[in-house]
Structure formats: C-alpha cells, structure tokens
Amino acid sequence: MKTEDEVKYVEIVYRGIFQKRLAKYIAEGIVYTAREMGKPALSFGRYGDSPERNGVPAKYYVGIGNGIGEEDLIGYSTRVEPDLVDVIVVLDDTLLKGVESWAWQGVQPINLKLKANGTMIVTSTKRMDELVKMVPKKDFEWTFGVIKTEPSFSGLWAFKDDLTMEKVWGAIAKLRPDIIDIDHLVKYVSKKQSSDKRISAVKEAFSSVDYRTIRKGEGIDFIYNPPRLLTWQEMLEGTVVPAVPRGKRNEQFKRGTTKFERPTVDFDTCIKCKLCWIYCPDECFDETPDGYYDIAYDYCVGCGICAEVCPVKDCIVMVDESMFTDYRRPYEMWKENKVKYKEWLKEVRNARKERVYVPGLGR
C-alpha cells in the first residue's frame, strides 16, 4: 500500500488570527469523530505559520490512518505539510484567489495539494457558478462543495460560536464519509453543550451542501512557479543577505492574498493630505507625479487603516476583494478614463457588504 493510501489528510485553509481557533476546533472535531470510528487520527498546524499576522493565509491539517497504527501515523505526519491531501476546507472564499503564507513560496493555487478525485469545500454566500470561475484547473476530476454561509471571523483569543464548524463537519460527512460519517459525527456532537442546535446544524449542512464534479481542465489558468532555492555555489560569502533596494519592494513576498477587502480611492475628492501614505503599515501607497497616492494591490493586506485615517468622507472605501480578478492599480484606471472610473467606483462600492466586525481592532 502506498503512503498516500495509508493516511488521509484534510487541509483547513484559514485567515491567520481571525479564524485560528475556528480552524483548530474544526480539526479537533474531525480527529475525535475519526477516533469514534476506530481510526487513529491527529491534527497539526503547518510548520512556520505561527506566529500569525492578521489575515495571512494559514493551514491546519488532520491526518487519519488507514490500516496503520498510531506511531506510523505520527511518523508520516512529522513534516512541514503533507505532499497531497484528500480534502481541502476553505474558510473564506477570497482565499480561492491564491495563498501566500511564507516568504519565498510565492502565491500558490488554493488546490495545489489536492489529490486526484479529491474534494474541496468552501464557505461562501456566492453561487456555485461564480466560485467555479475562481478555482484553478487540475488535470483530473475533483469534487467542489459550497456551504452557504458568511465567512466566520473572530480574534486571536476569541471564538465566534456561530455553528460554522458544525456546518463544515456536516459537509465533510456528506461528501467524504470515508473521512468522517454522519452517524459517528452526530454521536460526537451530542456530547457537546447545546447539542440540539449543533446536531441540527450538522444535519442541515449534510443535506444542503451544494456540490458538483469539476471536470479535468475546468477552471482558470493559474501559473505557479515554485521558487528555486540557491545552491551553495550561488550563495554569497558568509551570511550576507541582499537587502531590498531603497524605495523598492520585495518581489518574492507580496502578501496581496492576505486581504478579504481592498481599498478603493475617489481621486476626485482626494485632498493629497498624504495620511494614507504615512499610516499604511505595509507601505503600499506610491506618490504619483501629480501628488495623488496610488495603491499597489499586490502588496496591500486590506487592513483598512488608510480608510480609517482618511479625513475626507468616502474618499477611501473598503470593498469586497472577491469581486476582483487582478491587481490593476486604481490611479492608472482613473487617468485612463475618469468618467468610466467613477462609474466603476460606484458599482463596486454599491456591491460591498457591511464590514466584518473583528474584536480588538477598534472597529
């Protein structure tokens, strides 16, 4: 039996800090249910994801033994991350655009590690056909599931008990009963406090999760070139690390996938006060020749500080990141056609949702 057949892995992709406890508790529930089924199981965070920064994509894993013992399972799972996974759970649909957790790894497709005939489940309020346009192509068939719910966000020390974890468990039980089945899942959930509403959430997700097969080659082209580490002959002498030149940015660590919102700018009302440029913690604003401040969206993490410090009402407004397919700069669009830009601005701002309340950020 191959190693990949002896262990089934579930990968949980989440927004660092905001969904840390949610991911941990989802993994915990899968482990306990698998153990109820008589299988060895364990969970672990991806090495290097901690300490986390707000919104940075991070991963949690569950390993479930298939005909092997506890010690062998621990041995297989003592690694940075599994090579392939059977199930991917995505806790925020904007993560479908790609994930960049570490420096030097580049922006990876969300389904990079998915096995042939594997399953990916996402929490979203969008329709299936809208989400399929965001998923990268694979050269095999796989199953895509959607749990109709708002992404759940909380804080580092807080847990928003909104039944998201029960919905995720129910969806996995429906689509991958070889991982956890509904009977043992209900048995596990029945031991928890307020078990009636939790069991109802599990059963609701089990019966309502939307899913379909994604065909070979269906989806978007996602070009990913894994970074190549230098050989010893290519390294500089000693421990010298070349610095990023003054006024430049690190091309190998953009972090644009961190955000689930992006700032939009109304240049017609901008007073060129410079506060966005001063306060941006990631130095994403560039001064233009005529004194405005443009945004490098591929480096912006969507923290919203620029919108909070801007003194002009509605000059900078945060909108839903999932509406966009590229990182084209707003100043370029405005200079190209100001009337068209104004219409575009109105459209994306009207489509925005109420901003997520995140404890600890003063919003």
Side-chain angles (χ1 to χ4, degrees):
M1 186 182 288
K2 296 179 180 177
T3 301
E4 63 184 70
D5 297 324
E6 294 181 330
V7 184
K8 294 181 184 295
Y9 283 108
V10 178
E11 178 182 84
I12 303 166
V13 190
Y14 65 98
R15 293 285 181 198
I17 301 294
F18 302 146
Q19 297 179 317
K20 182 181 179 71
R21 286 185 175 269
L22 174 62
K24 177 178 179 294
Y25 292 156
I26 289 172
E28 184 179 284
I30 297 171
V31 168
Y32 278 115
T33 304
R35 287 178 176 272
E36 290 271 7
M37 297 166 67
K39 301 177 183 179
L42 52 76
S43 66
F44 55 98
R46 183 167 64 169
Y47 179 79
D49 276 350
S50 184
E52 301 171 4
R53 283 194 66 186
N54 290 351
V56 169
K59 296 183 180 182
Y60 225 91
Y61 290 100
V62 175
I64 300 172
N66 182 29
I68 62 172
E70 191 91 27
E71 289 187 1
D72 288 334
L73 176 61
I74 294 172
Y76 286 140
S77 304
T78 307
R79 57 182 68 188
V80 174
E81 59 183 356
D83 296 331
L84 294 170
V85 299
D86 299 81
V87 177
I88 299 174
V89 175
V90 184
L91 294 178
D92 172 25
D93 56 14
T94 56
L95 288 163
L96 296 179
K97 300 175 72 173
V99 296
E100 185 183 26
S101 300
W102 307 343
W104 299 93
Q105 294 297 314
V107 180
Q108 302 171 336
I110 184 69
N111 53 6
L112 178 67
K113 302 278 184 177
L114 192 64
K115 281 183 186 176
N117 301 312
T119 303
M120 186 164 79
I121 300 169
V122 60
T123 61
S124 178
T125 56
K126 295 184 181 301
R127 299 191 312 272
M128 172 70 79
D129 61 323
E130 294 178 292
L131 295 169
V132 169
K133 294 175 183 174
M134 299 170 68
V135 297
K137 293 177 180 175
K138 301 294 283 186
D139 59 0
F140 51 76
E141 286 190 351
W142 55 282
T143 301
F144 188 33
V146 180
I147 304 169
K148 289 288 182 186
T149 187
E150 290 280 353
S152 178
F153 293 95
S154 185
L156 178 60
W157 305 114
F159 172 61
K160 187 178 179 182
D161 191 5
D162 58 1
L163 303 177
T164 295
M165 62 181 180
E166 285 81 2
K167 295 172 186 174
V168 171
W169 294 334
I172 295 175
K174 174 70 175 185
L175 302 182
R176 294 301 299 261
D178 57 319
I179 301 291
I180 51 173
D181 66 40
I182 188 66
D183 292 336
H184 288 90
L185 175 59
V186 169
K187 184 178 178 182
Y188 164 69
V189 175
S190 66
K191 299 173 185 175
K192 302 176 80 68
Q193 288 185 338
S194 307
S195 60
D196 289 346
K197 69 175 185 180
R198 299 186 189 281
I199 291 172
S200 294
V202 165
K203 291 183 176 178
E204 171 63 22
F206 183 84
S207 61
S208 66
V209 58
D210 189 14
Y211 65 97
R212 79 168 176 85
T213 300
I214 303 297
R215 299 183 301 277
K216 177 182 176 181
E218 184 177 2
I220 61 170
D221 291 316
F222 194 113
I223 300 173
Y224 173 58
N225 297 312
R228 185 183 69 84
L229 298 178
L230 297 177
T231 64
W232 67 270
Q233 295 99 331
E234 297 169 305
M235 292 181 181
L236 298 175
E237 292 182 4
T239 55
V240 175
V241 178
V244 176
R246 184 184 294 273
K248 301 291 183 180
R249 298 187 174 96
N250 187 343
E251 287 290 329
Q252 290 166 318
F253 191 35
K254 295 185 174 179
R255 298 185 60 236
T257 62
T258 296
K259 60 182 173 294
F260 51 89
E261 290 182 312
R262 72 165 61 179
T264 57
V265 184
D266 186 349
F267 293 103
D268 292 330
T269 62
C270 175
I271 59 174
K272 305 179 183 178
C273 67
K274 209 172 187 170
L275 287 177
C276 55
W277 183 88
I278 293 171
Y279 279 91
C280 177
D282 292 284
E283 301 181 356
C284 298
F285 285 83
D286 293 316
E287 188 171 8
T288 66
D290 47 358
Y292 294 100
Y293 292 90
D294 197 12
I295 307 174
Y297 283 135
D298 46 352
Y299 289 88
C300 170
V301 302
C303 68
I305 289 177
C306 54
E308 292 182 16
V309 301
C310 181
V312 180
K313 181 175 172 55
D314 293 338
C315 178
I316 300 180
V317 173
M318 305 299 290
V319 299
D320 183 5
E321 171 65 17
S322 66
M323 290 188 288
F324 308 98
T325 57
D326 58 32
Y327 291 137
R328 190 180 180 196
R329 288 180 172 233
Y331 179 77
E332 175 190 335
M333 296 166 61
W334 180 64
K335 292 293 284 187
E336 185 176 283
N337 189 326
K338 293 181 180 178
V339 174
K340 191 175 178 181
Y341 180 81
K342 199 77 173 181
E343 292 172 354
W344 172 85
L345 203 61
K346 184 178 179 182
E347 179 185 344
V348 297
R349 289 183 174 184
N350 285 340
R352 80 189 181 107
K353 295 176 287 190
E354 284 298 315
R355 192 162 190 186
V356 176
Y357 173 73
V358 180
L361 295 185
R363 296 172 184 165

